Amino acid sequence: MSPGNRRKDFRVDISLHCSWEALTEKEVELIEKGMGRSLFEKNECDSPIDEIMRQTVPGSQEEHWYRSLQLINNKLDFIIDQIFLESSDLPLKRDKVIELSGSGVKFVSHRNIPPGTFFRMLLVLPGTFLFQIELIGEVMRIERKGEAPVVAARIVEIDEAAKDAIITVVFQKQRQEIRREKLNHGGTK
């Protein structure tokens, strides 16, 4: 965990692929009106697997099978999206998230993005059922670390399942760091 955590959500240093695009003035107006979730690409359209998942008994063998299918489906959606993005002229920028929490992200940007800018980000979260999440953020400040600027942003809009996936990844990373620390100190305090 990063030292000096002043946020309500814990944050971890991490390396994840992301792509982002700045929002237009009309999209920012939607956010200001409380309609930011309408900007998500995967907006409120469940797959048939999601519908079946709601009907299965939690913890059952059937649920485990459908969760596996759901993960495969999400990965296939991700691959299709990547193929589409490679063949289009969309203004997405590909960068790396280096710090993550349930309320904010820091990412290395290869392009200037001024404070106050709102953006939509697609973030790859391996190890979660969603695999890729979507969020809307606002740039709070720019930090300099090496050649590329580091963008510190707060999350303005995020789906509840996506936030849960981030929190899961943060806790997984924290557990890994605790285990590594114990091994480095011989399991003693």
Short mmCIF file of all heavy atoms in Angstrom, two decimals, residues 26-80:
data_model
loop_
_atom_site.label_atom_id
_atom_site.label_comp_id
_atom_site.label_asym_id
_atom_site.label_seq_id
_atom_site.Cartn_x
_atom_site.Cartn_y
_atom_site.Cartn_z
N LYS A 26 -20.44 18.56 -24.44
CA LYS A 26 -21.78 18.01 -24.24
C LYS A 26 -21.76 16.84 -23.26
O LYS A 26 -22.66 16.70 -22.44
CB LYS A 26 -22.39 17.56 -25.57
CG LYS A 26 -22.80 18.72 -26.44
CD LYS A 26 -23.49 18.25 -27.69
CE LYS A 26 -23.88 19.47 -28.52
NZ LYS A 26 -24.66 19.11 -29.68
N GLU A 27 -20.72 16.01 -23.32
CA GLU A 27 -20.60 14.89 -22.39
C GLU A 27 -20.35 15.39 -20.96
O GLU A 27 -20.90 14.85 -20.00
CB GLU A 27 -19.48 13.93 -22.84
CG GLU A 27 -19.84 13.18 -24.11
CD GLU A 27 -18.67 12.42 -24.70
OE1 GLU A 27 -17.51 12.90 -24.61
OE2 GLU A 27 -18.91 11.33 -25.26
N VAL A 28 -19.56 16.45 -20.82
CA VAL A 28 -19.31 17.03 -19.50
C VAL A 28 -20.61 17.61 -18.94
O VAL A 28 -20.89 17.47 -17.74
CB VAL A 28 -18.20 18.11 -19.57
CG1 VAL A 28 -18.08 18.85 -18.25
CG2 VAL A 28 -16.86 17.47 -19.94
N GLU A 29 -21.43 18.20 -19.79
CA GLU A 29 -22.73 18.72 -19.35
C GLU A 29 -23.60 17.59 -18.79
O GLU A 29 -24.30 17.78 -17.79
CB GLU A 29 -23.45 19.41 -20.49
CG GLU A 29 -22.87 20.77 -20.85
CD GLU A 29 -23.54 21.38 -22.08
OE1 GLU A 29 -24.65 20.95 -22.48
OE2 GLU A 29 -22.95 22.32 -22.65
N LEU A 30 -23.56 16.42 -19.42
CA LEU A 30 -24.31 15.28 -18.90
C LEU A 30 -23.83 14.89 -17.51
O LEU A 30 -24.64 14.57 -16.64
CB LEU A 30 -24.19 14.08 -19.85
CG LEU A 30 -24.99 14.16 -21.15
CD1 LEU A 30 -24.64 12.99 -22.07
CD2 LEU A 30 -26.48 14.18 -20.87
N ILE A 31 -22.52 14.92 -17.29
CA ILE A 31 -21.96 14.60 -15.98
C ILE A 31 -22.46 15.62 -14.95
O ILE A 31 -22.89 15.25 -13.86
CB ILE A 31 -20.42 14.57 -16.02
CG1 ILE A 31 -19.95 13.37 -16.83
CG2 ILE A 31 -19.82 14.54 -14.61
CD1 ILE A 31 -18.48 13.37 -17.15
N GLU A 32 -22.42 16.88 -15.31
CA GLU A 32 -22.87 17.94 -14.39
C GLU A 32 -24.35 17.82 -14.06
O GLU A 32 -24.78 18.24 -12.99
CB GLU A 32 -22.55 19.31 -14.99
CG GLU A 32 -21.05 19.59 -15.01
CD GLU A 32 -20.65 20.80 -15.83
OE1 GLU A 32 -21.50 21.35 -16.57
OE2 GLU A 32 -19.47 21.19 -15.74
N LYS A 33 -25.13 17.22 -14.96
CA LYS A 33 -26.56 17.02 -14.73
C LYS A 33 -26.83 15.70 -14.01
O LYS A 33 -27.98 15.33 -13.82
CB LYS A 33 -27.32 17.02 -16.05
CG LYS A 33 -27.34 18.37 -16.74
CD LYS A 33 -28.05 18.28 -18.07
CE LYS A 33 -28.03 19.62 -18.78
NZ LYS A 33 -28.63 19.50 -20.13
N GLY A 34 -25.77 14.97 -13.64
CA GLY A 34 -25.94 13.70 -12.94
C GLY A 34 -26.27 12.54 -13.87
O GLY A 34 -26.77 11.51 -13.42
N MET A 35 -25.98 12.68 -15.15
CA MET A 35 -26.30 11.64 -16.14
C MET A 35 -25.04 11.03 -16.74
O MET A 35 -25.05 10.54 -17.86
CB MET A 35 -27.18 12.24 -17.25
CG MET A 35 -28.50 12.80 -16.72
SD MET A 35 -29.44 13.76 -17.93
CE MET A 35 -29.58 12.61 -19.28
N GLY A 36 -23.94 11.04 -15.98
CA GLY A 36 -22.67 10.54 -16.49
C GLY A 36 -22.67 9.08 -16.87
O GLY A 36 -22.00 8.66 -17.80
N ARG A 37 -23.48 8.27 -16.17
CA ARG A 37 -23.51 6.83 -16.48
C ARG A 37 -24.04 6.55 -17.89
O ARG A 37 -23.76 5.50 -18.45
CB ARG A 37 -24.35 6.08 -15.46
CG ARG A 37 -23.65 6.00 -14.13
CD ARG A 37 -24.51 5.29 -13.10
NE ARG A 37 -23.92 5.49 -11.79
CZ ARG A 37 -23.34 4.52 -11.11
NH1 ARG A 37 -23.32 3.31 -11.57
NH2 ARG A 37 -22.81 4.77 -9.94
N SER A 38 -24.78 7.47 -18.45
CA SER A 38 -25.29 7.28 -19.81
C SER A 38 -24.17 7.30 -20.84
O SER A 38 -24.37 6.90 -21.98
CB SER A 38 -26.33 8.35 -20.15
OG SER A 38 -25.72 9.64 -20.21
N LEU A 39 -22.98 7.73 -20.43
CA LEU A 39 -21.84 7.79 -21.35
C LEU A 39 -21.09 6.47 -21.47
O LEU A 39 -20.25 6.32 -22.35
CB LEU A 39 -20.86 8.88 -20.89
CG LEU A 39 -21.43 10.30 -20.83
CD1 LEU A 39 -20.41 11.24 -20.21
CD2 LEU A 39 -21.83 10.76 -22.21
N PHE A 40 -21.39 5.53 -20.59
CA PHE A 40 -20.69 4.25 -20.65
C PHE A 40 -21.08 3.51 -21.92
O PHE A 40 -22.24 3.43 -22.28
CB PHE A 40 -21.00 3.38 -19.43
CG PHE A 40 -20.41 3.91 -18.14
CD1 PHE A 40 -21.10 3.78 -16.96
CD2 PHE A 40 -19.18 4.52 -18.12
CE1 PHE A 40 -20.56 4.25 -15.77
CE2 PHE A 40 -18.63 5.01 -16.94
CZ PHE A 40 -19.32 4.87 -15.77
N GLU A 41 -20.08 2.92 -22.58
CA GLU A 41 -20.32 2.16 -23.80
C GLU A 41 -21.15 0.92 -23.53
O GLU A 41 -22.04 0.58 -24.28
CB GLU A 41 -18.99 1.77 -24.45
CG GLU A 41 -18.25 2.96 -25.03
CD GLU A 41 -16.92 2.56 -25.62
OE1 GLU A 41 -16.67 1.36 -25.84
OE2 GLU A 41 -16.11 3.47 -25.86
N LYS A 42 -20.85 0.23 -22.47
CA LYS A 42 -21.57 -1.00 -22.13
C LYS A 42 -22.66 -0.63 -21.14
O LYS A 42 -22.65 -1.02 -19.98
CB LYS A 42 -20.62 -2.03 -21.55
CG LYS A 42 -19.58 -2.46 -22.55
CD LYS A 42 -18.66 -3.47 -21.96
CE LYS A 42 -17.60 -4.01 -22.77
NZ LYS A 42 -17.16 -3.80 -23.96
N ASN A 43 -23.61 0.14 -21.60
CA ASN A 43 -24.61 0.73 -20.72
C ASN A 43 -25.86 -0.13 -20.60
O ASN A 43 -26.62 -0.27 -21.55
CB ASN A 43 -24.98 2.12 -21.26
CG ASN A 43 -25.72 2.96 -20.26
OD1 ASN A 43 -25.75 2.64 -19.09
ND2 ASN A 43 -26.31 4.03 -20.73
N GLU A 44 -26.03 -0.73 -19.42
CA GLU A 44 -27.26 -1.41 -19.04
C GLU A 44 -27.76 -2.45 -20.05
O GLU A 44 -28.95 -2.62 -20.23
CB GLU A 44 -28.36 -0.38 -18.77
CG GLU A 44 -27.98 0.57 -17.67
CD GLU A 44 -29.12 1.46 -17.26
OE1 GLU A 44 -30.27 1.03 -17.39
OE2 GLU A 44 -28.85 2.58 -16.82
N CYS A 45 -26.88 -3.13 -20.70
CA CYS A 45 -27.28 -4.17 -21.63
C CYS A 45 -26.65 -5.48 -21.18
O CYS A 45 -25.49 -5.75 -21.43
CB CYS A 45 -26.82 -3.80 -23.05
SG CYS A 45 -27.58 -4.79 -24.32
N ASP A 46 -27.43 -6.28 -20.45
CA ASP A 46 -26.93 -7.54 -19.92
C ASP A 46 -26.83 -8.60 -21.01
O ASP A 46 -27.63 -8.64 -21.95
CB ASP A 46 -27.86 -8.07 -18.82
CG ASP A 46 -27.75 -7.26 -17.55
OD1 ASP A 46 -26.77 -6.52 -17.39
OD2 ASP A 46 -28.67 -7.37 -16.71
N SER A 47 -25.85 -9.47 -20.85
CA SER A 47 -25.74 -10.62 -21.74
C SER A 47 -26.69 -11.70 -21.23
O SER A 47 -27.12 -11.66 -20.07
CB SER A 47 -24.31 -11.14 -21.75
OG SER A 47 -24.04 -11.86 -20.57
N PRO A 48 -27.01 -12.70 -22.05
CA PRO A 48 -27.86 -13.80 -21.57
C PRO A 48 -27.23 -14.52 -20.37
O PRO A 48 -27.95 -14.99 -19.49
CB PRO A 48 -27.94 -14.73 -22.78
CG PRO A 48 -27.66 -13.86 -23.96
CD PRO A 48 -26.73 -12.80 -23.47
N ILE A 49 -25.91 -14.55 -20.31
CA ILE A 49 -25.23 -15.20 -19.19
C ILE A 49 -25.52 -14.44 -17.89
O ILE A 49 -25.75 -15.05 -16.84
CB ILE A 49 -23.71 -15.30 -19.44
CG1 ILE A 49 -23.44 -16.18 -20.67
CG2 ILE A 49 -22.98 -15.86 -18.23
CD1 ILE A 49 -22.02 -16.16 -21.15
N ASP A 50 -25.53 -13.11 -17.96
CA ASP A 50 -25.83 -12.30 -16.77
C ASP A 50 -27.23 -12.61 -16.25
O ASP A 50 -27.44 -12.71 -15.04
CB ASP A 50 -25.72 -10.80 -17.08
CG ASP A 50 -24.30 -10.38 -17.41
OD1 ASP A 50 -23.36 -10.97 -16.85
OD2 ASP A 50 -24.13 -9.45 -18.23
N GLU A 51 -28.18 -12.76 -17.16
CA GLU A 51 -29.56 -13.07 -16.77
C GLU A 51 -29.64 -14.44 -16.09
O GLU A 51 -30.27 -14.61 -15.05
CB GLU A 51 -30.47 -13.04 -18.00
CG GLU A 51 -31.92 -13.33 -17.70
CD GLU A 51 -32.56 -12.32 -16.76
OE1 GLU A 51 -32.21 -11.13 -16.82
OE2 GLU A 51 -33.40 -12.74 -15.95
N ILE A 52 -28.95 -15.43 -16.64
CA ILE A 52 -28.94 -16.77 -16.06
C ILE A 52 -28.27 -16.75 -14.69
O ILE A 52 -28.72 -17.41 -13.75
CB ILE A 52 -28.24 -17.77 -17.01
CG1 ILE A 52 -29.08 -17.96 -18.28
CG2 ILE A 52 -28.01 -19.10 -16.32
CD1 ILE A 52 -28.37 -18.72 -19.37
N MET A 53 -27.19 -15.95 -14.55
CA MET A 53 -26.47 -15.86 -13.27
C MET A 53 -27.38 -15.40 -12.14
O MET A 53 -27.27 -15.87 -11.01
CB MET A 53 -25.29 -14.89 -13.39
CG MET A 53 -24.10 -15.45 -14.12
SD MET A 53 -23.29 -16.74 -13.20
CE MET A 53 -22.75 -15.82 -11.78
N ARG A 54 -28.30 -14.49 -12.44
CA ARG A 54 -29.22 -14.00 -11.41
C ARG A 54 -30.17 -15.09 -10.93
O ARG A 54 -30.73 -14.99 -9.85
CB ARG A 54 -30.00 -12.80 -11.94
CG ARG A 54 -29.18 -11.51 -11.94
CD ARG A 54 -30.05 -10.31 -12.19
NE ARG A 54 -30.44 -10.16 -13.58
CZ ARG A 54 -29.68 -9.59 -14.52
NH1 ARG A 54 -28.49 -9.12 -14.21
NH2 ARG A 54 -30.10 -9.48 -15.76
N GLN A 55 -30.36 -16.13 -11.75
CA GLN A 55 -31.31 -17.18 -11.42
C GLN A 55 -30.65 -18.41 -10.78
O GLN A 55 -31.35 -19.31 -10.34
CB GLN A 55 -32.08 -17.61 -12.67
CG GLN A 55 -32.89 -16.48 -13.28
CD GLN A 55 -33.48 -16.84 -14.63
OE1 GLN A 55 -33.52 -18.01 -15.00
NE2 GLN A 55 -33.92 -15.84 -15.36
N THR A 56 -29.33 -18.45 -10.74
CA THR A 56 -28.65 -19.63 -10.18
C THR A 56 -28.52 -19.50 -8.66
O THR A 56 -28.55 -18.41 -8.10
CB THR A 56 -27.24 -19.82 -10.78
OG1 THR A 56 -26.46 -18.67 -10.48
CG2 THR A 56 -27.30 -20.06 -12.27
N VAL A 57 -28.35 -20.62 -8.02
CA VAL A 57 -28.17 -20.68 -6.58
C VAL A 57 -26.72 -20.29 -6.26
O VAL A 57 -25.79 -20.90 -6.81
CB VAL A 57 -28.48 -22.09 -6.04
CG1 VAL A 57 -28.21 -22.18 -4.56
CG2 VAL A 57 -29.90 -22.49 -6.38
N PRO A 58 -26.52 -19.26 -5.42
CA PRO A 58 -25.15 -18.87 -5.07
C PRO A 58 -24.35 -20.04 -4.49
O PRO A 58 -24.84 -20.79 -3.65
CB PRO A 58 -25.35 -17.77 -4.01
CG PRO A 58 -26.72 -17.24 -4.28
CD PRO A 58 -27.52 -18.42 -4.78
N GLY A 59 -23.12 -20.19 -4.97
CA GLY A 59 -22.24 -21.25 -4.48
C GLY A 59 -22.44 -22.60 -5.14
O GLY A 59 -21.71 -23.54 -4.88
N SER A 60 -23.43 -22.71 -6.02
CA SER A 60 -23.70 -24.00 -6.67
C SER A 60 -22.70 -24.27 -7.79
O SER A 60 -22.01 -23.37 -8.28
CB SER A 60 -25.12 -24.02 -7.24
OG SER A 60 -25.23 -23.11 -8.33
N GLN A 61 -22.64 -25.53 -8.20
CA GLN A 61 -21.79 -25.92 -9.33
C GLN A 61 -22.21 -25.16 -10.59
O GLN A 61 -21.36 -24.71 -11.36
CB GLN A 61 -21.93 -27.44 -9.56
CG GLN A 61 -21.11 -27.96 -10.71
CD GLN A 61 -19.66 -28.16 -10.33
OE1 GLN A 61 -19.31 -28.24 -9.17
NE2 GLN A 61 -18.80 -28.24 -11.33
N GLU A 62 -23.51 -24.99 -10.75
CA GLU A 62 -24.05 -24.27 -11.90
C GLU A 62 -23.53 -22.82 -11.92
O GLU A 62 -23.15 -22.30 -12.97
CB GLU A 62 -25.58 -24.29 -11.82
CG GLU A 62 -26.26 -23.75 -13.04
CD GLU A 62 -27.78 -23.85 -12.90
OE1 GLU A 62 -28.33 -23.35 -11.89
OE2 GLU A 62 -28.41 -24.42 -13.80
N GLU A 63 -23.50 -22.18 -10.76
CA GLU A 63 -23.00 -20.80 -10.70
C GLU A 63 -21.54 -20.74 -11.14
O GLU A 63 -21.14 -19.83 -11.88
CB GLU A 63 -23.15 -20.22 -9.29
CG GLU A 63 -22.66 -18.78 -9.24
CD GLU A 63 -22.45 -18.24 -7.85
OE1 GLU A 63 -22.12 -19.03 -6.94
OE2 GLU A 63 -22.59 -17.02 -7.69
N HIS A 64 -20.73 -21.69 -10.70
CA HIS A 64 -19.31 -21.71 -11.07
C HIS A 64 -19.14 -21.86 -12.58
O HIS A 64 -18.29 -21.20 -13.18
CB HIS A 64 -18.56 -22.82 -10.33
CG HIS A 64 -18.47 -22.58 -8.86
ND1 HIS A 64 -17.72 -21.56 -8.32
CD2 HIS A 64 -19.05 -23.20 -7.81
CE1 HIS A 64 -17.83 -21.57 -7.01
NE2 HIS A 64 -18.64 -22.56 -6.66
N TRP A 65 -19.96 -22.72 -13.21
CA TRP A 65 -19.90 -22.89 -14.66
C TRP A 65 -20.27 -21.59 -15.38
O TRP A 65 -19.57 -21.17 -16.30
CB TRP A 65 -20.83 -24.01 -15.13
CG TRP A 65 -20.27 -25.38 -14.86
CD1 TRP A 65 -20.69 -26.27 -13.92
CD2 TRP A 65 -19.17 -26.00 -15.54
NE1 TRP A 65 -19.92 -27.40 -13.97
CE2 TRP A 65 -18.98 -27.27 -14.95
CE3 TRP A 65 -18.33 -25.61 -16.57
CZ2 TRP A 65 -17.99 -28.14 -15.38
CZ3 TRP A 65 -17.35 -26.49 -16.99
CH2 TRP A 65 -17.18 -27.73 -16.40
N TYR A 66 -21.34 -20.96 -14.94
CA TYR A 66 -21.77 -19.73 -15.60
C TYR A 66 -20.79 -18.59 -15.35
O TYR A 66 -20.60 -17.74 -16.22
CB TYR A 66 -23.20 -19.35 -15.18
CG TYR A 66 -24.23 -20.22 -15.85
CD1 TYR A 66 -25.10 -21.02 -15.10
CD2 TYR A 66 -24.34 -20.26 -17.24
CE1 TYR A 66 -26.04 -21.83 -15.71
CE2 TYR A 66 -25.27 -21.07 -17.86
CZ TYR A 66 -26.12 -21.85 -17.10
OH TYR A 66 -27.04 -22.64 -17.72
N ARG A 67 -20.16 -18.56 -14.19
CA ARG A 67 -19.13 -17.53 -13.95
C ARG A 67 -17.95 -17.72 -14.90
O ARG A 67 -17.39 -16.75 -15.41
CB ARG A 67 -18.63 -17.58 -12.50
CG ARG A 67 -19.59 -16.94 -11.54
CD ARG A 67 -18.85 -16.35 -10.35
NE ARG A 67 -19.78 -15.76 -9.43
CZ ARG A 67 -20.22 -14.51 -9.51
NH1 ARG A 67 -19.79 -13.75 -10.47
NH2 ARG A 67 -21.06 -14.04 -8.64
N SER A 68 -17.58 -18.98 -15.15
CA SER A 68 -16.52 -19.26 -16.11
C SER A 68 -16.91 -18.81 -17.51
O SER A 68 -16.10 -18.21 -18.22
CB SER A 68 -16.18 -20.76 -16.11
OG SER A 68 -15.70 -21.15 -14.85
N LEU A 69 -18.15 -19.10 -17.90
CA LEU A 69 -18.63 -18.64 -19.20
C LEU A 69 -18.66 -17.12 -19.28
O LEU A 69 -18.32 -16.53 -20.30
CB LEU A 69 -20.03 -19.20 -19.48
CG LEU A 69 -20.11 -20.68 -19.79
CD1 LEU A 69 -21.57 -21.12 -19.91
CD2 LEU A 69 -19.36 -21.01 -21.07
N GLN A 70 -19.05 -16.50 -18.17
CA GLN A 70 -19.10 -15.04 -18.12
C GLN A 70 -17.69 -14.45 -18.30
O GLN A 70 -17.51 -13.48 -19.05
CB GLN A 70 -19.69 -14.62 -16.78
CG GLN A 70 -19.98 -13.16 -16.63
CD GLN A 70 -20.59 -12.87 -15.27
OE1 GLN A 70 -20.11 -13.38 -14.25
NE2 GLN A 70 -21.63 -12.07 -15.25
N LEU A 71 -16.69 -15.03 -17.66
CA LEU A 71 -15.32 -14.56 -17.80
C LEU A 71 -14.84 -14.72 -19.24
O LEU A 71 -14.25 -13.80 -19.82
CB LEU A 71 -14.40 -15.32 -16.85
CG LEU A 71 -12.92 -14.95 -16.94
CD1 LEU A 71 -12.70 -13.47 -16.66
CD2 LEU A 71 -12.11 -15.81 -15.97
N ILE A 72 -15.11 -15.87 -19.84
CA ILE A 72 -14.72 -16.10 -21.24
C ILE A 72 -15.41 -15.08 -22.14
O ILE A 72 -14.80 -14.49 -23.04
CB ILE A 72 -15.04 -17.54 -21.67
CG1 ILE A 72 -14.12 -18.51 -20.93
CG2 ILE A 72 -14.90 -17.72 -23.18
CD1 ILE A 72 -14.53 -19.97 -21.05
N ASN A 73 -16.70 -14.86 -21.90
CA ASN A 73 -17.45 -13.89 -22.70
C ASN A 73 -16.85 -12.49 -22.57
O ASN A 73 -16.68 -11.78 -23.57
CB ASN A 73 -18.92 -13.88 -22.25
CG ASN A 73 -19.78 -13.02 -23.13
OD1 ASN A 73 -19.81 -13.18 -24.34
ND2 ASN A 73 -20.50 -12.10 -22.50
N ASN A 74 -16.50 -12.08 -21.35
CA ASN A 74 -15.92 -10.76 -21.14
C ASN A 74 -14.56 -10.63 -21.82
O ASN A 74 -14.23 -9.59 -22.38
CB ASN A 74 -15.80 -10.46 -19.65
CG ASN A 74 -17.14 -10.25 -19.01
OD1 ASN A 74 -18.14 -9.96 -19.67
ND2 ASN A 74 -17.20 -10.41 -17.69
N LYS A 75 -13.76 -11.70 -21.79
CA LYS A 75 -12.46 -11.66 -22.46
C LYS A 75 -12.63 -11.59 -23.98
O LYS A 75 -11.91 -10.86 -24.66
CB LYS A 75 -11.62 -12.89 -22.08
CG LYS A 75 -11.05 -12.79 -20.69
CD LYS A 75 -10.16 -13.97 -20.37
CE LYS A 75 -9.54 -13.81 -19.00
NZ LYS A 75 -8.57 -14.87 -18.71
N LEU A 76 -13.60 -12.32 -24.51
CA LEU A 76 -13.87 -12.25 -25.95
C LEU A 76 -14.34 -10.85 -26.34
O LEU A 76 -13.92 -10.31 -27.37
CB LEU A 76 -14.90 -13.30 -26.37
CG LEU A 76 -14.41 -14.74 -26.37
CD1 LEU A 76 -15.57 -15.69 -26.64
CD2 LEU A 76 -13.31 -14.93 -27.40
N ASP A 77 -15.21 -10.25 -25.54
CA ASP A 77 -15.63 -8.87 -25.79
C ASP A 77 -14.43 -7.93 -25.82
O ASP A 77 -14.32 -7.06 -26.68
CB ASP A 77 -16.63 -8.39 -24.73
CG ASP A 77 -18.01 -8.99 -24.88
OD1 ASP A 77 -18.30 -9.58 -25.95
OD2 ASP A 77 -18.81 -8.86 -23.92
N PHE A 78 -13.50 -8.13 -24.88
CA PHE A 78 -12.30 -7.31 -24.82
C PHE A 78 -11.47 -7.47 -26.09
O PHE A 78 -11.02 -6.49 -26.69
CB PHE A 78 -11.47 -7.69 -23.60
CG PHE A 78 -10.12 -7.04 -23.56
CD1 PHE A 78 -9.99 -5.71 -23.23
CD2 PHE A 78 -8.98 -7.77 -23.86
CE1 PHE A 78 -8.75 -5.10 -23.20
CE2 PHE A 78 -7.74 -7.17 -23.84
CZ PHE A 78 -7.62 -5.83 -23.51
N ILE A 79 -11.27 -8.71 -26.54
CA ILE A 79 -10.48 -8.96 -27.75
C ILE A 79 -11.13 -8.32 -28.95
O ILE A 79 -10.47 -7.68 -29.78
CB ILE A 79 -10.29 -10.48 -27.95
CG1 ILE A 79 -9.36 -11.03 -26.86
CG2 ILE A 79 -9.73 -10.79 -29.34
CD1 ILE A 79 -9.33 -12.55 -26.78
N ILE A 80 -12.45 -8.46 -29.06
CA ILE A 80 -13.17 -7.85 -30.19
C ILE A 80 -13.02 -6.34 -30.15
O ILE A 80 -12.76 -5.70 -31.18
CB ILE A 80 -14.66 -8.28 -30.17
CG1 ILE A 80 -14.76 -9.76 -30.51
CG2 ILE A 80 -15.49 -7.43 -31.14
CD1 ILE A 80 -16.12 -10.38 -30.21
#
